[in-house]
Amino acid sequence: MMNPKYLCAVLGLTAIVLGGAAALEAKTRQGEKDFKAGQAAEAKMDWDTAVTMYQKAADEAPAELLYQIAMRRARFQAGQKHVEAGVKLRGEVKLQEAIEEFQKAIVIDPSSSIAIQELKRTQQIVLDGAKAGSTNPNVAGLTATEKMRREEDLRVASIQGLPELKPTVRRLPPTAKFNNSMPQVLYKTVAAMGGLYVVFDPQYSPPTGKPFDVNLDNMTIEEAFDYLGFITHTFWKPISSNTIFVCEDSTTKRRDYEDEVMRVFYAPNAASVQEFQEMANAIRTVTEVRRVFTTNAGRAIIVRGTADQVSLVEKLLHDLDKPKAEVIVDIMILQANTTRSKQLAASIASGGTAGLNIPIVFTPNGTTTTASTTTTGSTTPNNPITTPTGTTPSNNTGTITLNSLGHVSTSSFSTSSLPGALLQAMLTDTKTKVLNNPQVRASDQMKVELVVGLRIPYATGSLGSAVGATTVGVSPLVQTQFSFADTGVTVIIQPTVHSAEEVTMHVEVKVSSVQQYVNIGGISQPVISQDNSITDVRMRNNEVSLLGGLNQTTDSNTLNGIPGLTNIPVLGKFLFGSTSTEKDSNQIVIAMIPHIVRTPDYSPENLRGIFAGSDQNIKIIHTQIDTPEPTPANAAPANAAPAAPAQPPAAKPEAVPPQGAAPQAVVPQAAAPQAAPTQAVPAPASPAQASAQAKLSFSPSPLQTIPNGVFTLTVQLDGASDAFSLSPLQIKFDPALLRLDDASAGDLFTRDGGRVTTAKDIHNDTGEASVTLTRLPGAGGVSGSGAVAALTFTAIGKGSGTVSITGAGLKNSQSQALAVSLGNVPVSVQ
């Protein structure tokens, strides 16, 4: 019967042979050819061809798992490609083409759930459009969910802010002086001059006493109302674009009538939860807003308070939420080791060592005898009988009897070696230089750590095991615990940037290496050398600082030889001994160079103080920006007094006070109310006129970077009105200094949920680029300010240059050209 061990071996060999034969049968020449063709198509991202070729290979050799796996992977990728193409076509309102793409995806990959879902959504869009009879270009190509989101966005966008006054006359004339007038008369007269209405609180009663004398010349309407409220202790607020409400200024009335605003602020530059919460605490403390809620995940601050409180929150967050300064630090660690050893020897030596080492052994020639006895007789143990039978010679080396001492001579001693001459001269010179040059980038007040090296295992303890000690084949290392020590270079830096020129850094540099291994308890343990440097240093930008230096020199002299003879002057240590001299030198230098690549960029608006009201009432005053308005054809001359609108009905009895209380020089005769307020409102400007103040600029400006640094410039459009496309946006830059890697659309054209198409043409050899941004037809234009494009550059040289906008074909939704000013930004690469 066959041994079971041999039987298992035979069966295993048979299985290997059969498996190899099956593998050879599974792969065929045609299958391999199709498989390689599929791999070539996959490399070109041609997934449709790859699916076809992999399917052929799998049909040729169904048992080959490699073909099956490749085929299924290609099916998934091809299906996803058609799904993405269908979604893009649906966004372009090409619904039939999108349906075909989704159907192709399902045919290629029937298990694709997303293809089935998108097909159903697109078919439903077609059905909804057929039922409606026509397709709204603003919602065409949107799914039901996307329509609901669009409607939600429109509802949110339709929520109005606080009413904003829009007087027909922004500034009062120089003759606006009033004497001996009551508060109601003052409010209604100023309102009539601005084409506004006044509504008083039914419970308001003017204070009894002397009327007021005021001078409101050259004040804006809002400044005049604020001044009247201050001197008459009243509180006013706009309730529409042409009406204000006036009541007594008290805590109760403010609580009842003062409007509140809800707004969400974002702090994208907060790098940690602690920084974000510190901003929120500062807002709560300074503004005294009672309703403040923070969300750490979105770094958002939700505020509800009065308009002035919310404006103060906006000012604080604008000043606090600044991008952190950043520093790139070059660290150079130079370690140089030198070992010089010299050995000179010319001496009498034996046994291979310096000096005299002559062993003498005593080997006597005599013999010693020991008596041997034999016990005979009765076996009774109490009466043994001992009988001497003779002597036995024994030659014991090194042992003689005392009566033989007289026969000891020189022949009784022997030696195994005689001294010889030793001549040795050796010089060893070993030099080692290690240079580490790591580079780290750290943000202000943030700690960065760089570790470059190896982790070396070492034993930390062991557990005794009787099995390991008595059983053959069980290693005692099984019961040993190991830990790992980091060796190499460890750099920890925490910078504090003071300005664009100075930075303070807390630096920890650790340099360690394995010097040797020692055997402890049968285990080889590493001996690790360490050189640490911990310092706080304040440096200027690009300044070189020596953080730490260690110079260590060790000299050792060794003399070996025959005592006494080596003390002979001059020749003793050379003829009868050996000298050994060893000199070790170890030098370590650690240097650091900081490069400040970003600063918080505090603007004058961040540093100046603002008016914030009183202790009980926060009040923010906004500067009115007077914009030139077009003059109608039938307008009065520029030097004529502006015509005030007709007095509102509610204020008509008091707008012209009685004879005794009439304000003196209220309005010149030409300024008497003659027309309704609506007749004094100028006609709205055309889109081209409204966008005359539009401006294209770069952010950040200016910009400083380092060689090989990657940065993004944002193209900002301010003051846009009905902007529909930029066709094209032309950019000019220095090709020897910068390389434009990519250009993408900003968020201004997509802020309302619309879509935008982007085309770019980049010529880095000439330093020119053209970017075309266009919203989809029927989407309409956008108004306001925001980013229209993002340009990603790489610095390829050193020096200074300028990135400029040389042309911008800004057009509105009617394809009319809009006036826009062009900007540039200086770029410095150091």
Side-chain angles (χ1 to χ4, degrees), residues 32 50 82 101 125 131 161 222 336 395 430 463 505 539 555 558 609 641 677 751 764 809 824:
E32 280 296 303
H82 285 288
E101 290 293 333
I125 293 175
K131 293 178 181 179
E222 290 82 359
N395 186 9
T430 303
L463 299 176
M505 289 184 293
M539 303 174 59
D555 294 336
T558 304
R751 187 175 298 171
N764 283 313
N824 57 64

Side-chain angles (χ1 to χ4, degrees), residues 283-352:
I283 289 173
R284 291 189 183 97
T285 304
V286 176
T287 63
E288 297 181 354
V289 180
R290 294 184 294 113
R291 298 178 180 89
V292 178
F293 184 79
T294 60
T295 59
N296 296 330
R299 286 175 295 180
I301 303 176
I302 305 172
V303 178
R304 182 184 175 188
T306 64
D308 292 325
Q309 287 176 333
V310 174
S311 297
L312 187 57
V313 171
E314 182 180 16
K315 164 66 176 173
L316 284 175
L317 201 58
H318 177 266
D319 295 343
L320 295 176
D321 186 35
K322 290 288 185 179
K324 281 185 170 294
E326 291 185 336
V327 180
I328 291 180
V329 184
D330 291 325
I331 300 176
M332 294 182 292
I333 303 173
L334 177 63
Q335 182 176 3
N337 298 327
T338 302
T339 301
R340 297 175 61 90
S341 63
K342 180 175 63 176
Q343 296 182 358
L344 296 176
S347 61
I348 299 175
S350 62

